[in-house]
Amino acid sequence: MTLKLGQIVDNLGLKVVTGTDLLDREVQGGYTSDLLSWVMAHAKEGCLWITVQNHQNIVAVASLLGLAGIIVAEGVEVEEKTREKGEKEKVCILTTEKSAYEISGLLYQMGLGK
């Protein structure tokens, strides 16, 4: 099952930090991890990545893998340099107060990963 980023934003009440023009992207799955090297080895193109990392290297990883976007969970504020890099590299960064565990479960309930 695929969903559009915009559907996920609306259903989960996510805040769009960067990439307001990218909400029509299709999301093909999800991946949750905070270890960048692990994400690089296991996340798939088109996935939505859930993390609590907020530094600009998350944009590099998402761009390299062709991820649909990043959800920065647990109320972590995204650094300004990360926002700038996200806009420059066309990576959609979303935030939420919910935990990574909770967001992962909600995405699964919406049909991602089934």
Side-chain angles (χ1 to χ4, degrees):
M1 174 177 216
T2 60
L3 297 169
K4 299 277 187 185
L5 269 176
Q7 289 176 278
I8 294 169
V9 167
D10 291 342
N11 286 347
L12 301 182
L14 303 175
K15 178 183 172 191
V16 180
V17 176
T18 64
T20 54
D21 58 330
L22 305 173
L23 298 178
D24 61 340
R25 279 190 180 165
E26 288 194 354
V27 180
Q28 300 170 353
Y31 197 81
T32 304
S33 178
D34 294 323
L35 189 58
L36 302 187
S37 61
W38 197 263
V39 174
M40 289 177 65
H42 300 284
K44 305 283 189 247
E45 184 176 355
C47 282
L48 186 55
W49 175 21
I50 299 103
T51 184
V52 294
Q53 297 289 334
N54 66 349
H55 52 78
Q56 56 185 318
N57 289 343
I58 62 173
V59 174
V61 170
S63 181
L64 178 70
L65 296 176
L67 301 181
I70 305 166
I71 298 176
V72 179
E74 304 190 23
V76 174
E77 189 168 327
V78 177
E79 295 176 354
E80 184 58 33
K81 287 186 177 183
T82 304
R83 292 174 191 224
E84 292 169 7
K85 189 167 183 165
E87 289 292 353
K88 182 179 175 186
E89 296 195 21
K90 296 286 184 191
V91 172
C92 185
I93 302 174
L94 310 164
T95 61
T96 182
E97 296 291 323
K98 294 179 173 71
S99 72
Y101 175 80
E102 193 175 0
I103 283 295
S104 298
L106 291 169
L107 288 171
Y108 190 80
Q109 282 181 337
M110 290 177 67
L112 284 181
K114 292 182 180 178

